[in-house]
Amino acid sequence: MQSETLELLRGTLDLLILRALKVEPTHGYGVLKWIERATGDQLKIEEGSLYPALYRLQKRGWISSEWGVSDNNRRARFYELTPDGRHQLDAEVADFVRFARVVFQALDVPAHSS
Amino acid sequence: MQSETLELLRGTLDLLILRALKVEPTHGYGVLKWIERATGDQLKIEEGSLYPALYRLQKRGWISSEWGVSDNNRRARFYELTPDGRHQLDAEVADFVRFARVVFQALDVPAHSS
DNA sequence: GTTCTTCCCCTAGAATGTCTAGGAGTATCT
DNA sequence: AGATACTCCTAGACATTCTAGGGGAAGAAC
């Protein structure tokens, strides 16, 4: 069953959104698609999770937004990382790496079992 | 800043509890201490998280319990994995490994940066 | 020119997991 | 007698994600 999608984002949604926006500013739907592509379709996020998350991140000052027009000629809200957002991204990446290592250690799973 | 404890369990508490009980049946407090030790004090769980989690796991049939007396001569409720619990543990370990790998891939972090 | 699909935005409410902030009792050590 | 560590527990708050909707507009297909 290699192909079913994983169910839980386990608090990494913010992290993935920030990472997507580091690549280049884009709109919500673009973030969605980036995450799917970047994870080889193994992680899918719902729009009902995404938009509240974008609102949250903006409220915290990690991203900013403005209305624009997409490549497909549609009205869309474009987001980009703020300087604070870049720092936050770095911090969250470091945290996740540390977290994963600690859990692997506790589980007694080699850190790169592939 | 290497030494501060991680804040988020990101849905891995069940996993860690099951893993603790795979080592040997023990009581709630023992699970707590096992997790702290196994993670080098980098992951601490609150009792207010632990006991509801134990109840949950038992309700799902993954652990069973009975009252007994601890090494320190105190009344304690001992938990152990059921056969279903063993399967669940294996599944959750596999899921976590897969999840971590996918996130690392998306973040473009080498899978074993140490 | 109507229909369909994809793109794009959004919200309310439910479900879930974890934490905060308590309360309680008992064995052992000083 | 008091302190400390051990052990159990609950209620309510909080944050995150999902379910389950709604809607509009561009371009392609018929």
Side-chain angles (χ1 to χ4, degrees):
Chain A
M1 282 309 102
Q2 181 85 322
S3 58
E4 43 176 327
T5 48
L6 292 158
E7 49 330 303
L8 279 183
L9 289 171
R10 307 176 197 253
T12 56
L13 179 53
D14 292 2
L15 176 53
L16 290 166
I17 292 174
L18 295 174
R19 185 61 181 77
L21 294 177
K22 186 190 180 186
V23 178
E24 63 176 343
T26 185
H27 43 75
Y29 194 77
V31 169
L32 204 72
K33 291 303 178 188
W34 182 89
I35 292 177
E36 291 182 1
R37 263 198 355 268
T39 63
D41 279 322
Q42 293 191 81
L43 241 42
K44 309 229 183 196
I45 62 180
E46 301 299 324
E47 295 188 353
S49 311
L50 176 70
Y51 292 105
L54 287 169
Y55 177 78
R56 209 162 62 219
L57 296 176
Q58 183 165 5
K59 199 161 149 226
R60 291 177 186 163
W62 298 336
I63 62 179
S64 61
S65 73
E66 55 181 20
W67 285 102
V69 175
S70 76
D71 285 350
N72 295 304
N73 200 30
R74 278 177 185 79
R75 161 183 158 284
R77 189 191 284 275
F78 285 77
Y79 295 90
E80 73 178 318
L81 283 182
T82 63
D84 273 6
R86 291 184 180 278
H87 294 138
Q88 182 63 21
L89 171 57
D90 290 344
E92 290 199 17
V93 168
D95 260 17
F96 183 80
V97 169
R98 209 151 72 81
F99 171 74
R101 187 152 49 224
V102 166
V103 174
F104 278 139
Q105 170 191 325
L107 294 179
D108 206 18
V109 169
H112 44 97
S113 60
S114 102
Chain B
M1 287 300 112
Q2 181 86 321
S3 59
E4 43 177 325
T5 48
L6 290 157
E7 50 328 305
L8 280 182
L9 287 171
R10 305 175 196 257
T12 56
L13 180 53
D14 290 3
L15 176 53
L16 291 167
I17 291 173
L18 295 175
R19 185 61 179 79
L21 294 177
K22 186 190 179 188
V23 179
E24 62 176 344
T26 185
H27 44 74
Y29 194 76
V31 169
L32 204 73
K33 291 304 177 187
W34 182 90
I35 293 177
E36 292 182 1
R37 263 199 353 268
T39 64
D41 279 321
Q42 294 191 80
L43 239 43
K44 309 229 184 198
I45 61 180
E46 301 299 325
E47 295 187 353
S49 310
L50 175 70
Y51 290 107
L54 287 168
Y55 177 79
R56 210 162 61 220
L57 295 177
Q58 183 165 7
K59 199 161 150 225
R60 291 177 185 163
W62 297 336
I63 61 179
S64 61
S65 73
E66 53 181 23
W67 284 102
V69 175
S70 76
D71 284 349
N72 295 303
N73 199 28
R74 276 175 187 79
R75 161 184 160 281
R77 189 189 284 276
F78 284 78
Y79 294 90
E80 74 178 316
L81 284 181
T82 63
D84 274 5
R86 291 183 181 278
H87 294 137
Q88 182 64 21
L89 172 57
D90 291 344
E92 290 199 18
V93 169
D95 262 16
F96 183 79
V97 169
R98 208 151 74 81
F99 171 74
R101 186 150 53 222
V102 166
V103 173
F104 279 139
Q105 170 190 325
L107 295 179
D108 207 18
V109 169
H112 45 97
S113 58
S114 100

